[in-house]
């Protein structure tokens, strides 16, 4: 199989070569392309420990496990002995042993750093040896347009110039809005510039301040601080820092979300003011007491409730001024164990790479496999094109507020938060969340009355009265469901602070099924390491009949197709093929037959045992003639007991992210969250709901 090889090389020092390289890998994964990563030679920074940073970052959130690069001291030994050809042979051997056939390989060149004058020489040799196309990575660094072009052109000259066949183009990293006198570096295309034809601008990556925020634990390690109260030091991030040695009344404005507060350890007034701010839900990053002082036990006891809210407290021996000066030399590089920040950087960079260029590599690859990054990327991009209005009844939950902010910023959906506006804005401010005009806040108390009459009319067959309707509408989820039913919003997402039943029950009572459905069922999107699978039904139907099971299979297959997953439906049972007997396996066999007759366009097979459905080696023995066995993407379980148990076992045992349950067969989209859902989970569920709303609209 052919291999595309792209090598990233820097135009100068400090361009962010590693970040761009791992971001390119993520861009390939997002498009469902087979990717590999190879770093020929390690370049550890002072203080680096453990595995190579680039390979560790690539492995985060990916199934790729790149080979470790050649240690720098070994490469330097080859150069010292003038054995560069032998070094290239070693590199080729590692390359061929570590990259996957049929993949597009991102090779990270050597960065231009002090003490490594041979970087460009080696990069040229490696590119020639691996027959790699060259992608230059640069950072404008306040250069003017002509200066930037001149800089890039000179750098390209080291590799044959911008007209050379193997010099593909350039990625601009660390750009800032308004620099070079342009709104966007894309304006370079409109000019008579070097970025044309064979040499292209392949991406422009804006600086994002939030990507530079370290964890409190990283700062504590850097300062050699002792831990007075750990709190949430592993998750809280430092956005800024301040030295507080003035009177309390003069430093209150400094106590804002994400600030690292330095104060002399004997300033009990500032310590208590910081604790009071924490009690008021202002998420201060941490309090650092200086001068070697330890707060007394009595003071710590008095501030105990603030500590319980997660406020980290650190102690250092240096005085406040020395400590703040020391922070100037803090290394902003991303630690390899900071999974959240690594993934944020990868996603940010991948979004900014030219998608048409990335997709051009699909020509040399087989049918794409929808990996979790590709699935999530497709969700977001499709949702952005739909402009749907999604209601979030749990509007005073901080994760929901943050998800709404992200959706507004990225244009994923228009979100309405139900709740008290003053409280929502207070929570947002205390957690450093910006809510722009695209996030609507609606006080439920001001709109409940208008939904009483529609609800009574909808439930008149159940003899619902005004009084009972008013009582039920006091539940914001019920109110939100009625808003969805009458068409005031396009979809509803809830469950971050409520059990699943609280979200699903009102939907089943108030929203009817689609014309082509006789029942409501559900699916989970199970984000396995290398593939996204669809599980149904794991939430709604306890013991479906064969006819109902056939309908669930068809609904689940259509849901998979709507989200870009090629449906290959396995009807799961404890027996494979025709060997088993018993009521349960007979039901699955009958359901398979019904579904195949109703939808001959779908690949549906059963009964299949789970291992025969997912493992090709087992499928070859148990179902050698099946077009689904070993390749299934949609798993339909015979009953709720089996489905719910399996999904939870896979989710917990394999640490799999699951999105859902997504209801299907219902006229309007209502989707549930797990109560431990992350902000990203909520964002992706909002995107799913927006896509589902569009799909339902088109079916009407």
């Amino acid at each position: 199989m052919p291999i595309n090889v792209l090598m990233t090389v820097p135009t100068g020092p400090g361009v962010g070569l590693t970040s761009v390289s791992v971001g390119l890998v993520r861009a390939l994964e997002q498009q469902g392309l087979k990717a590999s990563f190879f770093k020929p030679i390690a370049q550890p920074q002072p203080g680096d420990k453990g595995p190579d940073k680039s390979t560790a970052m690539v492995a985060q959130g990916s199934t790729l496990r790149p080979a470790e690069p050649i240690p720098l001291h070994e490469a330097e030994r080859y150069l010292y002995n003038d054995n560069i050809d032998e070094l290239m042979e070693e590199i080729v051997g590692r390359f061929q042993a570590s990259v996957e056939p049929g993949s597009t390989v991102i090779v990270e060149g050597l960065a231009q750093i002090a003490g490594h004058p041979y970087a460009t020489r080696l990069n040229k040799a490696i590119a020639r040896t691996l027959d790699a196309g060259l992608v230059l990575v640069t950072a404008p660094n306040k250069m003017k347009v002509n200066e930037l072009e001149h800089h890039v052109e000179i750098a390209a000259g080291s590799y044959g110039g911008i007209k050379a066949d193997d010099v593909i183009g350039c990625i601009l990293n660390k750009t800032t809005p308004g620099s070079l006198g342009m709104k966007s570096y894309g304006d370079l295309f409109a000019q008579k510039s070097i970025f044309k034809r064979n040499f292209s601008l392949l991406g422009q990556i804006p600086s994002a301040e939030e990507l530079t925020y370290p964890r409190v634990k990283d700062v504590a390690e850097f300062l050699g601080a002792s831990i007075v109260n750990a709190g949430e030091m592993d998750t809280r991030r430092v956005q800024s820092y301040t030295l507080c040695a003035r009177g309390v009344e003069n430093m209150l404005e400094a106590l804002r979300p994400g600030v690292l507060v330095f104060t002399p350890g004997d300033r009990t007034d500032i310590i208590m003011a910081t604790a009071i701010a924490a009690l008021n839900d202002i998420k201060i990053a941490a309090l650092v007491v200086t001068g070697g002082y330890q707060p007394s036990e009595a003071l710590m006891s008095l501030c105990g409730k603030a500590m319980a809210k997660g406020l980290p407290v650190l102690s250092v021996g240096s005085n406040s001024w020395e400590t703040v000066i020391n922070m100037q030399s803090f290394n902003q590089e991303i630690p390899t164990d900071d999974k959240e920040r690594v993934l944020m950087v990868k996603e940010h960079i991948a979004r900014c790479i030219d998608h048409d260029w990335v997709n051009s590599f699909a020509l040399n690859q087989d049918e794409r496999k929808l990996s979790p990054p590709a699935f999530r990327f497709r969700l977001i991009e499709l949702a952005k094109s739909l402009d749907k209005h999604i209601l979030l009844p749990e509007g005073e939950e901080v994760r929901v507020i943050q998800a709404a902010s992200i959706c507004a910023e990225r244009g994923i959906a228009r979100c309405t938060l139900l709740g008290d506006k003053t409280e929502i804005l207070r929570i947002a401010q205390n957690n450093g969340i910006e809510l722009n005009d695209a996030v609507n806040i609606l006080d439920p108390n001001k709109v409940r009355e208008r939904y009483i009459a529609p609800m009574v009319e909808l439930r008149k067959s159940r003899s619902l009265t005004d009084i009972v309707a008013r009582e039920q509408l006091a539940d914001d989820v019920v109110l939100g469901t009625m808003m969805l039913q009458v068409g005031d919003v396009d979809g509803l997402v809830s469950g971050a602070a409520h059990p699943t039943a609280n979200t699903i029950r009102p939907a089943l009572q108030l929203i009817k099924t689609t014309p082509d459905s006789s029942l409501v069922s559900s699916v989970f999107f199970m984000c396995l390491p290398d593939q996204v699978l669809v599980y149904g039904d794991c939430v709604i139907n306890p013991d479906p009949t064969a006819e109902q099971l056939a309908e669930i299979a068809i609904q689940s297959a259509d849901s998979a197709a709507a989200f870009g997953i090629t449906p290959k439906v396995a009807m799961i049972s404890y027996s494979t093929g025709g060997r088993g007997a018993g009521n349960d396996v007979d039901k699955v066999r009958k359901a398979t037959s019904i579904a195949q007759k109703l939808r001959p366009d779908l690949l549906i097979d059963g009964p299949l045992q789970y291992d025969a459905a997912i493992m090709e080696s087992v499928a070859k023995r148990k179902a050698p003639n099946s077009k689904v066995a070993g390749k299934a993407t949609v798993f339909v379980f015979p009953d709720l007991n089996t489905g719910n148990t399996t999904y939870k076992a896979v989710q917990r045992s394999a640490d799999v992210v699951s999105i859902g349950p997504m209801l299907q067969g219902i006229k309007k989209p209502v989707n549930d969250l797990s109560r431990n859902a992350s902000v990203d989970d909520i964002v992706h569920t909002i995107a799913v709901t927006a896509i589902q709303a569009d799909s339902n609209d088109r079916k009407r």
Side-chain angles (χ1 to χ4, degrees), residues 537-544 584 637-649:
D537 169 20
C538 305
V539 173
I540 304 293
N541 299 281
D543 189 16
D584 291 338
F637 298 99
D639 51 53
L640 188 59
N641 183 52
T642 307
N644 193 270
T645 301
T646 304
Y647 118 75
K648 286 186 175 177

Side-chain angles (χ1 to χ4, degrees), residues 389-525:
H389 184 186
I390 307 301
L391 183 72
L392 306 170
E394 300 163 318
E396 295 175 15
E397 159 63 47
V398 62
R399 291 167 296 161
V400 174
I401 297 171
Q402 189 169 353
S405 172
I406 292 170
C407 287
E409 181 185 350
R410 296 177 60 183
I412 295 168
R414 291 176 287 119
C415 294
T416 290
L417 296 166
L418 273 186
D420 179 80
K421 186 171 184 177
T422 302
E423 178 64 9
I424 290 172
L425 293 178
R426 184 190 70 82
I427 294 170
Q429 182 179 13
N430 288 349
N431 287 275
I433 302 169
E434 293 186 12
L435 294 178
N436 61 30
D437 294 339
V439 178
N440 182 41
I441 300 175
L442 182 63
D443 187 339
N445 295 320
K446 295 180 179 180
V447 298
R448 288 191 213 280
E449 291 294 320
R450 74 175 68 160
Y451 295 99
I452 292 174
M455 187 170 176
V456 170
E457 176 64 23
L458 187 66
R459 301 279 288 168
K460 61 184 178 183
S461 63
R462 300 282 184 174
S463 302
L464 186 72
T465 66
D466 287 10
I467 294 174
V468 175
R470 184 176 285 104
E471 289 176 351
Q472 292 183 2
L473 286 166
D475 184 330
D476 285 351
V477 179
V478 175
L479 172 61
T481 306
M482 274 305 304
M483 293 174 65
L484 176 60
Q485 167 59 22
V486 302
D488 289 345
V489 295
D490 298 314
L492 180 146
V493 173
S494 184
H498 295 91
T500 294
N502 283 47
T503 300
I504 293 178
R505 188 183 299 112
L508 297 178
Q509 293 173 343
L510 300 173
I511 303 176
K512 299 179 186 277
T513 58
T514 58
D516 58 347
S517 300
S518 64
L519 83 166
V520 174
S521 65
S522 71
V523 289
F524 281 96
F525 295 98

